[in-house]
Amino acid sequence: MTRELSYPDLYRKLRNRFGDLDWWPGETRDEIIIGAILTQQASWRNVEMAIANLRGEGALDLRKISRMRIGRLERLIRPSGYYRQKAKRLKAIAGYIFRNYKDLDELLGKDAEELRQELLSLDGIGRETADSIILYAAEKPIFVIDAYTRRIMNRVYGTDDGMDYDELRALLSGSIKRDLGLYKDFHAQFVELGKEYCRQRPLCAGCPINEACGYFKSLSVDR
Ligand code: SF4
């Protein structure tokens, strides 16, 4: 594995290029959790339309979702795709919270690992969704691994394609100061790099970390 750029230096370079990204795009804890479910297999642009529909109906609220008829919820979130499945998931998580806790804060106030296990036990909540909720809604430092992070790690450091989610998470969090703001922004920086440069077809020429990227170096050698 090529390892010339330390993870803190990677973050510094990205931050210098993209600035403070102020993520996740959501004003309330409810909105962040709803967004984390809606963004599964969907582009954020489509999720925004679904969120705007919910907001327009005053329904960007898990307690309201727990009481809403599923057909109405499906109609509102339709732009996010897989809307039947996502409506069921939203109803399931909202119902779970208010059956078992007095409010959302009580659930999110739990210890991060306990909360993670509980979220993972719910239907349709995988590790990326659970960790996004823990990092951005519960505001506890846990690293989120998404497709962009995985792709960038593969290309820059040569990590294995099939590396397990938690192994990759441990690799990153073991080398970075455990700090909520840093974890939040580091994830956002990965997403920005993935959207702007490290796309499926990468735009390496303008990429802020190309000098340290194993993939880019291998292209230069091949030329
Ligand atoms: S140099 Fe190319 S492959 Fe490497 S991180 Fe940048 S865009 Fe991705």
Short mmCIF file of all heavy atoms in Angstrom, two decimals, residues 84-141:
data_model
loop_
_atom_site.label_atom_id
_atom_site.label_comp_id
_atom_site.label_asym_id
_atom_site.label_seq_id
_atom_site.Cartn_x
_atom_site.Cartn_y
_atom_site.Cartn_z
N ARG A 84 -41.17 3.45 -1.87
CA ARG A 84 -41.99 2.55 -1.03
C ARG A 84 -41.13 1.98 0.10
O ARG A 84 -41.52 1.96 1.26
CB ARG A 84 -42.56 1.41 -1.87
CG ARG A 84 -43.64 1.89 -2.81
CD ARG A 84 -44.65 0.79 -3.14
NE ARG A 84 -45.78 1.38 -3.80
CZ ARG A 84 -45.92 1.45 -5.13
NH1 ARG A 84 -45.01 0.92 -5.92
NH2 ARG A 84 -46.98 2.03 -5.66
N GLN A 85 -39.94 1.50 -0.30
CA GLN A 85 -39.01 0.93 0.68
C GLN A 85 -38.60 2.00 1.71
O GLN A 85 -38.57 1.73 2.92
CB GLN A 85 -37.80 0.48 -0.12
CG GLN A 85 -36.84 -0.41 0.59
CD GLN A 85 -35.67 -0.73 -0.34
OE1 GLN A 85 -35.02 0.19 -0.85
NE2 GLN A 85 -35.41 -2.00 -0.57
N LYS A 86 -38.31 3.21 1.22
CA LYS A 86 -37.85 4.26 2.13
C LYS A 86 -38.97 4.73 3.06
O LYS A 86 -38.73 5.06 4.22
CB LYS A 86 -37.26 5.43 1.34
CG LYS A 86 -35.93 5.07 0.69
CD LYS A 86 -35.39 6.20 -0.13
CE LYS A 86 -34.10 5.77 -0.84
NZ LYS A 86 -33.59 6.82 -1.74
N ALA A 87 -40.20 4.75 2.55
CA ALA A 87 -41.33 5.14 3.41
C ALA A 87 -41.47 4.12 4.55
O ALA A 87 -41.67 4.50 5.71
CB ALA A 87 -42.61 5.22 2.59
N LYS A 88 -41.32 2.85 4.20
CA LYS A 88 -41.41 1.80 5.25
C LYS A 88 -40.29 1.99 6.27
O LYS A 88 -40.51 1.87 7.48
CB LYS A 88 -41.24 0.42 4.60
CG LYS A 88 -42.54 -0.28 4.34
CD LYS A 88 -42.29 -1.75 4.04
CE LYS A 88 -43.29 -2.19 2.99
NZ LYS A 88 -42.78 -2.93 1.89
N ARG A 89 -39.10 2.29 5.77
CA ARG A 89 -37.96 2.46 6.69
C ARG A 89 -38.17 3.66 7.61
O ARG A 89 -37.88 3.60 8.80
CB ARG A 89 -36.66 2.64 5.89
CG ARG A 89 -36.22 1.34 5.29
CD ARG A 89 -34.98 1.48 4.44
NE ARG A 89 -34.70 0.16 3.88
CZ ARG A 89 -33.75 -0.10 3.00
NH1 ARG A 89 -32.98 0.87 2.57
NH2 ARG A 89 -33.57 -1.32 2.54
N LEU A 90 -38.65 4.75 7.02
CA LEU A 90 -38.88 5.95 7.84
C LEU A 90 -39.95 5.69 8.90
O LEU A 90 -39.81 6.08 10.06
CB LEU A 90 -39.30 7.13 6.95
CG LEU A 90 -38.17 7.80 6.17
CD1 LEU A 90 -38.74 8.80 5.16
CD2 LEU A 90 -37.21 8.52 7.11
N LYS A 91 -41.02 5.02 8.49
CA LYS A 91 -42.08 4.70 9.45
C LYS A 91 -41.53 3.78 10.55
O LYS A 91 -41.87 3.93 11.71
CB LYS A 91 -43.24 3.98 8.75
CG LYS A 91 -44.00 4.80 7.73
CD LYS A 91 -44.98 5.76 8.33
CE LYS A 91 -46.15 5.09 9.00
NZ LYS A 91 -47.03 6.13 9.62
N ALA A 92 -40.68 2.82 10.12
CA ALA A 92 -40.16 1.85 11.10
C ALA A 92 -39.26 2.55 12.13
O ALA A 92 -39.41 2.32 13.34
CB ALA A 92 -39.39 0.74 10.38
N ILE A 93 -38.36 3.40 11.65
CA ILE A 93 -37.45 4.05 12.62
C ILE A 93 -38.20 5.04 13.49
O ILE A 93 -38.02 5.10 14.71
CB ILE A 93 -36.20 4.68 11.94
CG1 ILE A 93 -35.25 5.20 13.02
CG2 ILE A 93 -36.49 5.76 10.96
CD1 ILE A 93 -33.89 5.65 12.51
N ALA A 94 -39.12 5.80 12.87
CA ALA A 94 -39.89 6.78 13.65
C ALA A 94 -40.74 6.05 14.69
O ALA A 94 -40.78 6.45 15.87
CB ALA A 94 -40.75 7.63 12.72
N GLY A 95 -41.42 4.98 14.27
CA GLY A 95 -42.26 4.21 15.19
C GLY A 95 -41.42 3.65 16.33
O GLY A 95 -41.81 3.71 17.50
N TYR A 96 -40.25 3.12 15.98
CA TYR A 96 -39.37 2.52 16.99
C TYR A 96 -38.99 3.55 18.06
O TYR A 96 -39.06 3.28 19.25
CB TYR A 96 -38.12 1.96 16.31
CG TYR A 96 -37.11 1.44 17.29
CD1 TYR A 96 -37.23 0.14 17.79
CD2 TYR A 96 -36.07 2.24 17.75
CE1 TYR A 96 -36.31 -0.33 18.72
CE2 TYR A 96 -35.15 1.78 18.69
CZ TYR A 96 -35.29 0.49 19.16
OH TYR A 96 -34.39 0.03 20.10
N ILE A 97 -38.60 4.73 17.58
CA ILE A 97 -38.14 5.76 18.52
C ILE A 97 -39.25 6.10 19.52
O ILE A 97 -39.05 6.10 20.73
CB ILE A 97 -37.69 7.04 17.77
CG1 ILE A 97 -36.43 6.75 16.95
CG2 ILE A 97 -37.43 8.19 18.74
CD1 ILE A 97 -36.08 7.80 15.91
N PHE A 98 -40.45 6.37 19.00
CA PHE A 98 -41.48 6.88 19.92
C PHE A 98 -42.20 5.77 20.70
O PHE A 98 -42.88 6.06 21.67
CB PHE A 98 -42.44 7.80 19.15
CG PHE A 98 -41.68 8.97 18.57
CD1 PHE A 98 -41.50 9.12 17.20
CD2 PHE A 98 -41.05 9.88 19.43
CE1 PHE A 98 -40.76 10.18 16.68
CE2 PHE A 98 -40.30 10.93 18.92
CZ PHE A 98 -40.14 11.08 17.55
N ARG A 99 -41.99 4.53 20.30
CA ARG A 99 -42.48 3.43 21.14
C ARG A 99 -41.53 3.18 22.31
O ARG A 99 -41.93 2.74 23.37
CB ARG A 99 -42.57 2.13 20.33
CG ARG A 99 -43.90 1.91 19.62
CD ARG A 99 -44.07 0.46 19.16
NE ARG A 99 -42.90 -0.03 18.46
CZ ARG A 99 -42.63 0.18 17.17
NH1 ARG A 99 -43.46 0.89 16.44
NH2 ARG A 99 -41.55 -0.31 16.59
N ASN A 100 -40.24 3.44 22.08
CA ASN A 100 -39.24 3.04 23.07
C ASN A 100 -38.61 4.18 23.86
O ASN A 100 -37.95 3.94 24.87
CB ASN A 100 -38.14 2.24 22.38
CG ASN A 100 -38.66 0.91 21.86
OD1 ASN A 100 -38.91 -0.01 22.63
ND2 ASN A 100 -38.88 0.84 20.55
N TYR A 101 -38.78 5.39 23.39
CA TYR A 101 -38.12 6.54 24.04
C TYR A 101 -39.11 7.69 24.18
O TYR A 101 -40.04 7.81 23.38
CB TYR A 101 -36.91 7.00 23.21
CG TYR A 101 -35.84 5.94 23.15
CD1 TYR A 101 -35.80 5.03 22.09
CD2 TYR A 101 -34.92 5.80 24.19
CE1 TYR A 101 -34.85 4.02 22.06
CE2 TYR A 101 -33.97 4.79 24.16
CZ TYR A 101 -33.94 3.91 23.10
OH TYR A 101 -33.01 2.90 23.08
N LYS A 102 -38.83 8.56 25.17
CA LYS A 102 -39.76 9.68 25.33
C LYS A 102 -39.59 10.67 24.17
O LYS A 102 -40.52 11.31 23.74
CB LYS A 102 -39.65 10.32 26.70
CG LYS A 102 -38.47 11.23 26.96
CD LYS A 102 -38.64 11.84 28.36
CE LYS A 102 -37.58 12.84 28.74
NZ LYS A 102 -36.20 12.58 28.43
N ASP A 103 -38.36 10.77 23.66
CA ASP A 103 -38.13 11.62 22.48
C ASP A 103 -36.83 11.21 21.80
O ASP A 103 -36.11 10.32 22.28
CB ASP A 103 -38.11 13.11 22.85
CG ASP A 103 -37.08 13.43 23.93
OD1 ASP A 103 -36.10 12.67 24.06
OD2 ASP A 103 -37.26 14.44 24.64
N LEU A 104 -36.54 11.87 20.68
CA LEU A 104 -35.36 11.53 19.89
C LEU A 104 -34.07 11.76 20.68
O LEU A 104 -33.11 10.99 20.59
CB LEU A 104 -35.36 12.39 18.61
CG LEU A 104 -34.23 12.19 17.62
CD1 LEU A 104 -34.13 10.75 17.17
CD2 LEU A 104 -34.44 13.11 16.41
N ASP A 105 -34.06 12.84 21.48
CA ASP A 105 -32.85 13.16 22.25
C ASP A 105 -32.46 12.01 23.18
O ASP A 105 -31.28 11.77 23.40
CB ASP A 105 -33.07 14.43 23.10
CG ASP A 105 -33.12 15.66 22.21
OD1 ASP A 105 -32.78 15.55 21.03
OD2 ASP A 105 -33.51 16.73 22.71
N GLU A 106 -33.46 11.32 23.74
CA GLU A 106 -33.15 10.23 24.66
C GLU A 106 -32.40 9.11 23.92
O GLU A 106 -31.43 8.56 24.44
CB GLU A 106 -34.43 9.69 25.30
CG GLU A 106 -34.13 8.74 26.44
CD GLU A 106 -35.37 8.10 27.06
OE1 GLU A 106 -36.49 8.40 26.61
OE2 GLU A 106 -35.19 7.29 27.98
N LEU A 107 -32.84 8.81 22.70
CA LEU A 107 -32.14 7.77 21.92
C LEU A 107 -30.74 8.25 21.55
O LEU A 107 -29.75 7.54 21.75
CB LEU A 107 -32.93 7.45 20.64
CG LEU A 107 -32.19 6.57 19.63
CD1 LEU A 107 -31.98 5.15 20.17
CD2 LEU A 107 -32.92 6.51 18.30
N LEU A 108 -30.66 9.48 21.01
CA LEU A 108 -29.37 9.97 20.51
C LEU A 108 -28.38 10.26 21.63
O LEU A 108 -27.17 10.36 21.39
CB LEU A 108 -29.57 11.22 19.64
CG LEU A 108 -30.41 11.01 18.38
CD1 LEU A 108 -30.50 12.31 17.57
CD2 LEU A 108 -29.84 9.91 17.48
N GLY A 109 -28.86 10.35 22.85
CA GLY A 109 -27.98 10.62 23.99
C GLY A 109 -27.22 9.39 24.45
O GLY A 109 -26.36 9.48 25.33
N LYS A 110 -27.51 8.24 23.88
CA LYS A 110 -26.83 7.01 24.31
C LYS A 110 -25.37 7.02 23.91
O LYS A 110 -24.97 7.74 22.99
CB LYS A 110 -27.50 5.81 23.66
CG LYS A 110 -28.88 5.53 24.20
CD LYS A 110 -29.44 4.30 23.58
CE LYS A 110 -30.05 3.43 24.66
NZ LYS A 110 -30.52 2.17 24.15
N ASP A 111 -24.60 6.16 24.54
CA ASP A 111 -23.21 5.95 24.18
C ASP A 111 -23.13 5.55 22.69
O ASP A 111 -23.99 4.81 22.20
CB ASP A 111 -22.69 4.84 25.09
CG ASP A 111 -21.44 4.22 24.56
OD1 ASP A 111 -20.39 4.84 24.72
OD2 ASP A 111 -21.51 3.13 23.95
N ALA A 112 -22.10 6.05 21.98
CA ALA A 112 -22.03 5.87 20.52
C ALA A 112 -22.11 4.40 20.10
O ALA A 112 -22.83 4.06 19.16
CB ALA A 112 -20.76 6.51 19.98
N GLU A 113 -21.39 3.53 20.79
CA GLU A 113 -21.35 2.12 20.35
C GLU A 113 -22.71 1.44 20.61
O GLU A 113 -23.20 0.68 19.79
CB GLU A 113 -20.21 1.39 21.06
CG GLU A 113 -19.82 0.06 20.43
CD GLU A 113 -19.69 0.08 18.89
OE1 GLU A 113 -19.10 1.02 18.31
OE2 GLU A 113 -20.24 -0.85 18.26
N GLU A 114 -23.30 1.78 21.73
CA GLU A 114 -24.62 1.22 22.06
C GLU A 114 -25.66 1.70 21.04
O GLU A 114 -26.48 0.93 20.53
CB GLU A 114 -24.99 1.71 23.47
CG GLU A 114 -25.99 0.82 24.19
CD GLU A 114 -26.38 1.43 25.53
OE1 GLU A 114 -25.54 2.13 26.14
OE2 GLU A 114 -27.52 1.24 25.93
N LEU A 115 -25.57 3.00 20.73
CA LEU A 115 -26.50 3.58 19.75
C LEU A 115 -26.30 2.91 18.38
O LEU A 115 -27.26 2.59 17.69
CB LEU A 115 -26.24 5.09 19.66
CG LEU A 115 -27.02 5.88 18.62
CD1 LEU A 115 -28.53 5.73 18.81
CD2 LEU A 115 -26.64 7.37 18.68
N ARG A 116 -25.04 2.69 18.02
CA ARG A 116 -24.75 2.07 16.72
C ARG A 116 -25.38 0.68 16.64
O ARG A 116 -26.04 0.33 15.66
CB ARG A 116 -23.23 1.97 16.54
CG ARG A 116 -22.80 1.54 15.15
CD ARG A 116 -21.29 1.67 14.99
NE ARG A 116 -20.92 1.70 13.59
CZ ARG A 116 -20.29 0.70 12.96
NH1 ARG A 116 -19.98 -0.39 13.61
NH2 ARG A 116 -19.99 0.81 11.69
N GLN A 117 -25.19 -0.12 17.68
CA GLN A 117 -25.76 -1.47 17.66
C GLN A 117 -27.28 -1.41 17.56
O GLN A 117 -27.90 -2.20 16.86
CB GLN A 117 -25.35 -2.27 18.92
CG GLN A 117 -23.86 -2.60 18.98
CD GLN A 117 -23.30 -3.15 17.66
OE1 GLN A 117 -23.93 -3.96 16.98
NE2 GLN A 117 -22.14 -2.65 17.23
N GLU A 118 -27.86 -0.46 18.25
CA GLU A 118 -29.33 -0.34 18.24
C GLU A 118 -29.82 0.08 16.85
O GLU A 118 -30.78 -0.50 16.32
CB GLU A 118 -29.75 0.68 19.29
CG GLU A 118 -31.21 0.57 19.62
CD GLU A 118 -31.54 1.21 20.96
OE1 GLU A 118 -30.65 1.37 21.82
OE2 GLU A 118 -32.72 1.57 21.13
N LEU A 119 -29.14 1.06 16.25
CA LEU A 119 -29.55 1.50 14.90
C LEU A 119 -29.38 0.36 13.90
O LEU A 119 -30.22 0.14 13.02
CB LEU A 119 -28.72 2.72 14.46
CG LEU A 119 -29.01 4.02 15.21
CD1 LEU A 119 -27.99 5.10 14.84
CD2 LEU A 119 -30.43 4.53 14.93
N LEU A 120 -28.28 -0.38 14.02
CA LEU A 120 -28.02 -1.47 13.07
C LEU A 120 -29.03 -2.60 13.20
O LEU A 120 -29.20 -3.39 12.27
CB LEU A 120 -26.59 -2.01 13.26
CG LEU A 120 -25.47 -1.07 12.81
CD1 LEU A 120 -24.10 -1.65 13.16
CD2 LEU A 120 -25.55 -0.80 11.31
N SER A 121 -29.69 -2.67 14.34
CA SER A 121 -30.69 -3.73 14.51
C SER A 121 -32.00 -3.38 13.80
O SER A 121 -32.89 -4.21 13.67
CB SER A 121 -30.95 -3.99 16.00
OG SER A 121 -31.70 -2.91 16.53
N LEU A 122 -32.13 -2.12 13.34
CA LEU A 122 -33.37 -1.71 12.68
C LEU A 122 -33.32 -2.02 11.19
O LEU A 122 -32.26 -1.89 10.56
CB LEU A 122 -33.61 -0.20 12.88
CG LEU A 122 -33.69 0.26 14.34
CD1 LEU A 122 -33.87 1.77 14.41
CD2 LEU A 122 -34.84 -0.44 15.05
N ASP A 123 -34.45 -2.41 10.66
CA ASP A 123 -34.53 -2.80 9.26
C ASP A 123 -34.14 -1.63 8.35
O ASP A 123 -34.63 -0.52 8.50
CB ASP A 123 -35.98 -3.24 8.98
CG ASP A 123 -36.07 -3.91 7.63
OD1 ASP A 123 -35.07 -4.53 7.22
OD2 ASP A 123 -37.13 -3.79 6.99
N GLY A 124 -33.22 -1.89 7.42
CA GLY A 124 -32.88 -0.86 6.43
C GLY A 124 -31.82 0.13 6.88
O GLY A 124 -31.53 1.08 6.18
N ILE A 125 -31.28 -0.06 8.08
CA ILE A 125 -30.21 0.84 8.52
C ILE A 125 -28.90 0.07 8.51
O ILE A 125 -28.67 -0.81 9.34
CB ILE A 125 -30.50 1.44 9.91
CG1 ILE A 125 -31.78 2.27 9.81
CG2 ILE A 125 -29.32 2.30 10.37
CD1 ILE A 125 -31.95 3.34 10.82
N GLY A 126 -28.06 0.41 7.55
CA GLY A 126 -26.75 -0.22 7.45
C GLY A 126 -25.70 0.64 8.13
O GLY A 126 -26.02 1.66 8.76
N ARG A 127 -24.45 0.24 7.98
CA ARG A 127 -23.39 0.91 8.73
C ARG A 127 -23.20 2.37 8.30
O ARG A 127 -23.00 3.24 9.15
CB ARG A 127 -22.09 0.11 8.60
CG ARG A 127 -22.20 -1.20 9.35
CD ARG A 127 -20.93 -2.02 9.30
NE ARG A 127 -20.75 -2.68 8.02
CZ ARG A 127 -19.80 -3.57 7.78
NH1 ARG A 127 -18.94 -3.90 8.73
NH2 ARG A 127 -19.69 -4.14 6.60
N GLU A 128 -23.27 2.64 7.01
CA GLU A 128 -23.07 4.04 6.58
C GLU A 128 -24.19 4.94 7.11
O GLU A 128 -23.95 6.05 7.59
CB GLU A 128 -23.01 4.10 5.04
CG GLU A 128 -22.75 5.50 4.55
CD GLU A 128 -22.83 5.61 3.02
OE1 GLU A 128 -22.65 4.60 2.31
OE2 GLU A 128 -23.10 6.73 2.54
N THR A 129 -25.43 4.45 7.01
CA THR A 129 -26.56 5.25 7.50
C THR A 129 -26.47 5.44 9.02
O THR A 129 -26.64 6.55 9.53
CB THR A 129 -27.90 4.58 7.14
OG1 THR A 129 -27.92 4.33 5.73
CG2 THR A 129 -29.08 5.43 7.52
N ALA A 130 -26.16 4.35 9.73
CA ALA A 130 -26.07 4.44 11.19
C ALA A 130 -24.98 5.43 11.59
O ALA A 130 -25.19 6.30 12.45
CB ALA A 130 -25.76 3.06 11.78
N ASP A 131 -23.82 5.34 10.94
CA ASP A 131 -22.71 6.22 11.32
C ASP A 131 -22.99 7.68 10.94
O ASP A 131 -22.57 8.60 11.66
CB ASP A 131 -21.40 5.72 10.68
CG ASP A 131 -20.97 4.38 11.28
OD1 ASP A 131 -21.46 4.02 12.36
OD2 ASP A 131 -20.14 3.68 10.66
N SER A 132 -23.71 7.90 9.84
CA SER A 132 -24.09 9.27 9.48
C SER A 132 -25.00 9.85 10.56
O SER A 132 -24.87 11.02 10.94
CB SER A 132 -24.84 9.32 8.15
OG SER A 132 -24.05 8.79 7.12
N ILE A 133 -25.93 9.04 11.04
CA ILE A 133 -26.85 9.51 12.08
C ILE A 133 -26.07 9.80 13.37
O ILE A 133 -26.28 10.82 14.03
CB ILE A 133 -27.97 8.45 12.32
CG1 ILE A 133 -28.89 8.38 11.09
CG2 ILE A 133 -28.76 8.77 13.59
CD1 ILE A 133 -29.91 7.25 11.12
N ILE A 134 -25.14 8.91 13.71
CA ILE A 134 -24.38 9.10 14.95
C ILE A 134 -23.49 10.36 14.86
O ILE A 134 -23.41 11.15 15.79
CB ILE A 134 -23.51 7.86 15.27
CG1 ILE A 134 -24.43 6.65 15.54
CG2 ILE A 134 -22.60 8.10 16.47
CD1 ILE A 134 -23.72 5.32 15.55
N LEU A 135 -22.85 10.54 13.71
CA LEU A 135 -21.94 11.68 13.56
C LEU A 135 -22.69 13.01 13.47
O LEU A 135 -22.36 13.97 14.15
CB LEU A 135 -21.06 11.48 12.31
CG LEU A 135 -20.05 12.59 12.01
CD1 LEU A 135 -19.03 12.76 13.15
CD2 LEU A 135 -19.31 12.33 10.70
N TYR A 136 -23.71 13.06 12.62
CA TYR A 136 -24.33 14.37 12.33
C TYR A 136 -25.58 14.67 13.17
O TYR A 136 -25.86 15.83 13.42
CB TYR A 136 -24.64 14.48 10.84
CG TYR A 136 -23.38 14.55 10.00
CD1 TYR A 136 -22.93 13.44 9.29
CD2 TYR A 136 -22.63 15.72 9.93
CE1 TYR A 136 -21.76 13.49 8.52
CE2 TYR A 136 -21.46 15.79 9.19
CZ TYR A 136 -21.04 14.68 8.48
OH TYR A 136 -19.88 14.74 7.75
N ALA A 137 -26.32 13.64 13.57
CA ALA A 137 -27.52 13.91 14.37
C ALA A 137 -27.21 13.77 15.86
O ALA A 137 -27.59 14.63 16.66
CB ALA A 137 -28.66 12.98 13.97
N ALA A 138 -26.49 12.69 16.23
CA ALA A 138 -26.16 12.52 17.66
C ALA A 138 -24.91 13.32 18.03
O ALA A 138 -24.64 13.52 19.21
CB ALA A 138 -25.94 11.04 17.97
N GLU A 139 -24.17 13.77 17.01
CA GLU A 139 -22.95 14.55 17.21
C GLU A 139 -21.95 13.84 18.11
O GLU A 139 -21.51 14.37 19.13
CB GLU A 139 -23.29 15.94 17.73
CG GLU A 139 -24.21 16.67 16.76
CD GLU A 139 -24.05 18.17 16.81
OE1 GLU A 139 -24.72 18.76 17.66
OE2 GLU A 139 -23.26 18.73 16.02
N LYS A 140 -21.62 12.61 17.71
CA LYS A 140 -20.57 11.85 18.40
C LYS A 140 -19.55 11.45 17.34
O LYS A 140 -19.94 11.06 16.23
CB LYS A 140 -21.17 10.60 19.05
CG LYS A 140 -22.22 10.95 20.11
CD LYS A 140 -22.82 9.72 20.73
CE LYS A 140 -24.14 10.00 21.42
NZ LYS A 140 -24.08 10.87 22.57
N PRO A 141 -18.25 11.57 17.67
CA PRO A 141 -17.23 11.34 16.64
C PRO A 141 -17.10 9.88 16.23
O PRO A 141 -16.60 9.04 16.96
CB PRO A 141 -15.94 11.84 17.31
CG PRO A 141 -16.21 11.82 18.76
CD PRO A 141 -17.69 11.96 18.96
#
